Every structure is written in C-alpha cells, then in structure tokens.
Amino acid sequence: MAKVKVTETVLRDAHQSLIATRMPTSDMLPILSEMDKVGFYSVECWGGATFDSCLRFLNEDPWERLRILRREMPNTKLQMLLRGQNMLGYRHYADDVLEYFVQKSVANGIDIIRIFDALNDIRNLESTIKAVNAVKKENPNAHAQIAISYTLGETFTTEYFVNYAKEIESAGADSLCIKDMAALLTPFRTAELVKAIKEAVKIPVSLHTHYTSGLASMCLLKGIEAGADIIDTAMSPLALGTSHAPTESMV
C-alpha cells in the first residue's frame, strides 16, 4: 500500500487562518532547515494572502521570501495557492500577466501550484494550467494541482463533484485537491466523495479541510481509508481552530 503523503501548511494557510497571515519571514527562518529534513510531500508556503500581507502589513518583498524559502529548504517541494485568473489579487487578470506570473513563481522556487476558482468554473483555470504545463520544459518539477471548492447545496451532489474532477483531469492537471475551506465536510461524506472521485480519475487526490467544526482529523482519516493520496495538516502550535488537523496527530 502506498504511503499517505503530507502537505504541511504551517507557513501559509495555518497562520493565514489563525493570525491573519502576519507571520514574518524572520519567524520562519529558524525552523526551515529542520522542516526540510522531515520528508513532507510538500510545504505550502506562498500565495493565498501571503503576497498581499507581505506588501501591505509586513513591509516585506514576497519574492524575496520565496527565494529564502527555496534556499533554506532545497529538498522539499514548495507549494503555493493561486486564485486562477485572479492570481493573488481580487480581480481577473489578462492571460499574458498570468503566464508571466506563473513563469516567475516557478523560476523563484515554486514547485506545486494549487489553483482554485471559487465558482468551480474550469474556464477560470484553463489558462493557468496551460501556463504551468508550458514551463515544464525548463522546470520539470512544475506541477498544476486544481482544487475543487467544496460547498453545500442542492446543486453540489457527488455527481457534480465527480464531473468537475473529470473536467480537471481532462484540462491537463497533474493532481486535484478537495478543498474544504469552510469545514463543511463530515467524515462519512468525505469517504463517499473521495471514493467516488478516486474511481473517476487517475490523477492523485489531495484532501484539504479546516478544523472549524472539530471534524478535520476524522474527515482526513476517513478520506485516507477511501484512498486519498495526500492530506493537508499543520504542525500543532498553529493547528486546530480555523486551521488544520495537527501534523503530529495525523502522522
């Protein structure tokens, strides 16, 4: 049986969830070389609100942060979150801007780009997938992971999510992520969803859920039992609450 892989979120989503993305690079530096030895599948450390917070609140250069992370963690895949056509901003950007941003993100150290669209509209993701696949010629480690934004409602059936997973695979994604940003998943719903998606696509499936409702650990466990390949966790000092399940407990 294949080992379950772990994406560590402490350098991005964990502090974005708990302390409004205010962790400066200086607080990260002392632990980076130790994190590099752990053997994480990836460390999510850039994108999301980190770009915005570096510029707006921390007086930091987000590109310099990325270069430092790459230098201090040479053996670990670095992962970022990208809002599809919105990139790291709050409006749609032109394709040429998006393509150049992807090129520069990979050139400065990013390996895995997790791309999502809040509306689950594949049209807002296609340009980014193409941009990531285009840079693979020079950077074969570049990886396009598309996230399914999980939510509730009459429309959002298992069939809906399975069909979207098939669209994601057809669009050229290297993997997909079930992204439960609002902690709406329950353990048995997670098992049902992961099983159905695993049966429908061949690409790896990652599972991302927050602890807001107190169910994240159980959701991840049921997801693993159903075949999830990768889980998102956060080291315990920045776990639980609106963050993620503790890495140590899940391991």
Side-chain angles (χ1 to χ4, degrees), residues 2-251:
K3 279 188 178 179
V4 178
K5 297 171 181 174
V6 175
T7 291
E8 174 56 59
T9 67
V10 74
L11 300 182
R12 204 284 298 177
D13 202 7
H15 73 104
Q16 181 170 318
S17 297
L18 294 175
I19 55 171
T21 334
R22 296 297 196 271
M23 192 195 300
T25 306
S26 57
D27 283 0
M28 300 175 185
L29 265 172
I31 199 65
L32 296 179
S33 61
E34 295 303 312
M35 286 180 65
D36 194 43
K37 299 172 188 173
V38 172
F40 294 116
Y41 168 68
S42 64
V43 169
E44 191 197 55
C45 60
W46 209 62
T50 62
F51 205 90
D52 187 355
S53 290
C54 279
L55 295 170
R56 197 192 299 252
F57 302 111
L58 300 176
N59 196 28
E60 289 188 17
D61 178 350
W63 295 100
E64 183 60 20
R65 173 182 289 192
L66 176 55
R67 288 188 286 268
I68 290 168
L69 293 165
R70 178 75 287 165
R71 184 189 73 216
E72 298 295 321
M73 291 194 287
N75 303 305
T76 303
K77 290 179 183 176
L78 301 186
Q79 183 170 313
M80 72 172 291
L81 184 68
L82 192 74
R83 303 182 184 114
Q85 207 69 35
N86 291 14
M87 298 196 319
L88 299 178
Y90 303 97
R91 63 177 179 83
H92 275 38
Y93 294 93
D95 281 354
D96 57 346
V97 178
L98 175 61
E99 288 160 10
Y100 195 59
F101 188 87
V102 167
Q103 288 172 23
K104 288 301 172 188
S105 298
V106 174
N108 280 275
I110 289 295
D111 298 296
I112 299 169
I113 302 183
R114 177 180 286 172
I115 314 151
F116 81 99
D117 177 66
L119 301 175
N120 286 334
D121 189 336
I122 199 72
R123 294 172 297 177
N124 289 330
L125 304 170
E126 287 168 339
S127 295
T128 319
I129 298 170
K130 288 175 185 172
V132 176
N133 288 332
V135 301
K136 286 181 182 176
K137 295 169 187 173
E138 294 181 14
N139 292 279
N141 287 336
H143 178 113
Q145 182 182 92
I146 301 298
I148 296 171
S149 296
Y150 181 77
T151 190
L152 301 176
E154 290 181 15
T155 302
F156 304 107
T157 61
T158 299
E159 184 183 13
Y160 166 90
F161 290 117
V162 166
N163 287 337
Y164 188 44
K166 290 177 181 176
E167 282 188 315
I168 287 167
E169 186 174 49
S170 297
D174 298 298
S175 64
L176 68 81
C177 172
I178 300 168
K179 181 177 168 62
D180 176 29
M181 57 282 166
L184 299 173
L185 277 173
T186 57
F188 288 97
R189 175 65 177 136
T190 304
E192 176 189 2
L193 194 58
V194 171
K195 183 175 183 291
I197 289 174
K198 285 291 292 182
E199 287 173 354
V201 299
K202 294 183 173 66
I203 56 176
V205 173
S206 181
L207 183 56
H208 171 105
T209 184
H210 289 252
Y211 226 105
T212 321
S213 60
L215 297 175
S217 294
M218 290 182 280
C219 289
L220 292 180
L221 184 59
K222 296 305 288 183
I224 290 164
E225 290 174 355
D229 302 284
I230 309 157
I231 58 170
D232 283 19
T233 63
M235 285 192 285
S236 55
L238 283 171
L240 305 177
T242 51
S243 180
H244 299 268
T247 305
E248 301 90 333
S249 303
M250 291 312 303
V251 169

